[in-house]
Amino acid sequence: MDNYSFIRQSELEIASKVNLLSKRIRSQEQEVAVDFSHMTLEDELSEEEDHKDSSREAFGSSLENHKLSRKQRTHIRAINVKRKRDFVCLEKVNGELVNILEGLELHTEVFNAAEQKRIVDKVCELQEKVQKGELKRAFTAQGKGRSTIQFGCCFNYRTSKTGNLAGILKHETVDPLPHLFKVIIRRLVKWHVLPPTCVPDCCVVNIYDEGDCIPPHIDHHDFLRPFCTVSFLSECNILFGSNLKVEETGEYSGGSYSLPLPVGSVLVLNGNGADVAKHCVPEVPTKRISITFRKMDESKWPVWYTPEPYLQGIQPLTYELKSCGSSDHVF
């Protein structure tokens, strides 16, 4: 074999090895991408159970290979949350032009697919308990409403037939927040979705079937601002407007801004977005679940209420936070 042939053969062998190595790297990257979904579920949302399975073993193997600490992994996820805070919708309110969406925020990709499934499975488990009569505060609205389950406090949406006013019922008992929901709250505060000065202590689970809706309203001021709602199973639109109302036909009119709520996203309502603009959810096209987290006004606490130790002293992560439509912030 002459020198040229030898060199040419060597080049072909090297090229073949490089190609094989590239395929292996791509394959490993795909495996790592799969493992990371288990990893985030493991780190943030499996505090409720200590089960061990094959996916956990895969997670441990990938973690060992990549040498990422739990803190690093959490920071990567939190930094990649997309945040929009520059909503604008101008309406005349009391004769003045007002941005009725001031204070509104949408945080997307807060929960990945594996985490969403875990949360939805928990809600389905709670629904089964409702059917067995094992939970204290659950309702199914008549007509085109939705089913709800309350935790942390008992409240009326409107004055009841027995004369109880809308708002928190101080002498009615209700089931405590499930542990998984408390883990969700910790994430919302740590990941700069909600401020540490307004950590939720109660929630309502909303379960929509096709055609269900929520009529126009402003959330009761027994609950502090901001509050938030997390969306699961399917995307739907939420409608805002200072003049939103229900027509005799049952349709909603006066809505001036429609906002899609992706699955795994968190909508935060504060400022004008919570107190000037009414909001509603028109008929949903398919099954949907949302969880609305709120903090009670201390003066409205139920007589039996005791603050949850697990939700005290939560501190947001320190990292560079990127916000869509606004300048970056460093916390």
Side-chain angles (χ1 to χ4, degrees):
M1 179 184 295
D2 57 28
N3 288 339
Y4 175 80
S5 299
F6 175 78
I7 293 172
R8 181 59 180 164
Q9 182 177 348
S10 298
E11 289 175 342
L12 291 173
E13 289 176 355
I14 291 172
S16 177
K17 290 179 179 179
V18 168
N19 184 49
L20 179 61
L21 181 60
S22 297
K23 288 181 178 179
R24 287 178 178 174
I25 290 173
R26 284 195 295 270
S27 176
Q28 289 176 356
E29 286 175 343
Q30 291 173 353
E31 291 175 1
V32 170
V34 172
D35 289 341
F36 262 68
S37 68
H38 292 291
M39 178 188 69
T40 53
L41 180 66
E42 166 83 17
D43 282 351
E44 297 295 337
L45 292 178
S46 68
E47 297 179 33
E48 188 183 42
E49 300 174 5
D50 189 25
H51 66 284
K52 297 181 182 294
D53 55 22
S54 58
S55 64
R56 174 170 294 192
E57 292 173 3
F59 153 72
S61 174
S62 69
L63 176 59
E64 182 177 351
N65 290 337
H66 292 271
K67 304 295 182 183
L68 288 175
S69 69
R70 175 170 178 166
K71 182 177 180 180
Q72 288 172 320
R73 297 193 308 269
T74 301
H75 276 56
I76 290 170
R77 284 289 310 282
I79 289 171
N80 286 328
V81 171
K82 296 179 175 61
R83 310 170 193 269
K84 181 173 174 60
R85 298 185 172 94
D86 58 350
F87 294 99
V88 177
C89 180
L90 300 177
E91 286 189 8
K92 275 199 170 184
V93 179
N94 297 325
E96 295 185 3
L97 205 58
V98 173
N99 178 14
I100 63 167
L101 301 183
E102 176 272 325
L104 201 68
E105 302 179 8
L106 182 64
H107 303 250
T108 55
E109 300 181 16
V110 180
F111 300 97
N112 64 27
E115 293 164 346
Q116 291 173 44
K117 182 181 184 303
R118 177 67 178 281
I119 296 165
V120 169
D121 287 347
K122 181 63 178 179
V123 172
C124 292
E125 176 189 318
L126 294 171
Q127 275 189 288
E128 291 179 3
K129 289 187 175 183
V130 169
Q131 293 168 359
K132 295 176 182 177
E134 297 175 358
L135 295 180
K136 297 177 181 177
R137 190 74 173 175
F139 304 93
T140 299
Q142 296 181 346
K144 296 181 179 181
R146 81 280 184 204
S147 299
T148 63
I149 313 172
Q150 297 179 2
F151 295 100
C153 78
C154 183
F155 67 94
N156 281 340
Y157 293 100
R158 59 187 64 84
T159 301
S160 68
K161 294 179 180 178
T162 57
N164 286 322
L165 298 177
I168 295 172
L169 304 177
K170 301 185 73 168
H171 296 279
E172 297 286 337
T173 58
V174 72
D175 295 285
L177 287 166
H179 181 72
L180 183 62
F181 291 3
K182 290 184 280 189
V183 175
I184 293 171
I185 290 170
R186 289 181 64 87
R187 170 177 287 192
L188 296 179
V189 177
K190 286 184 175 182
W191 287 21
H192 297 263
V193 177
L194 290 174
T197 54
C198 199
V199 178
D201 48 22
C202 61
C203 76
V204 58
V205 179
N206 297 291
I207 303 145
Y208 303 75
D209 287 321
E210 181 182 344
D212 284 348
C213 59
I214 294 181
H217 67 284
I218 289 176
D219 284 53
H220 201 282
H221 280 83
D222 280 1
F223 302 102
L224 302 181
R225 274 57 171 157
F227 57 92
C228 72
T229 187
V230 192
S231 296
F232 302 101
L233 278 186
S234 64
E235 180 175 306
C236 80
N237 289 344
I238 185 169
L239 193 60
F240 291 90
S242 61
N243 297 305
L244 263 175
K245 60 182 180 180
V246 183
E247 298 291 348
E248 292 181 0
T249 59
E251 299 295 319
Y252 302 149
S253 66
S256 53
Y257 193 96
S258 182
L259 174 64
L261 300 178
V263 293
S265 70
V266 184
L267 178 69
V268 178
L269 293 95
N270 199 8
N272 292 345
D275 295 325
V276 174
K278 296 177 183 177
H279 59 275
C280 69
V281 176
E283 294 183 13
V284 298
T286 186
K287 188 175 180 67
R288 174 180 185 258
I289 290 172
S290 69
I291 308 177
T292 298
F293 292 98
R294 304 183 183 96
K295 181 178 178 62
M296 293 180 279
D297 184 324
E298 188 173 338
S299 67
K300 304 296 182 179
W301 281 356
V303 293
W304 47 264
Y305 176 76
T306 302
E308 167 59 54
Y310 187 65
L311 297 178
Q312 307 307 307
I314 308 172
Q315 292 301 317
L317 298 174
T318 301
Y319 60 89
E320 184 175 316
L321 181 64
K322 294 184 177 181
S323 176
C324 297
S326 61
S327 59
D328 292 354
H329 301 276
V330 179
F331 290 84

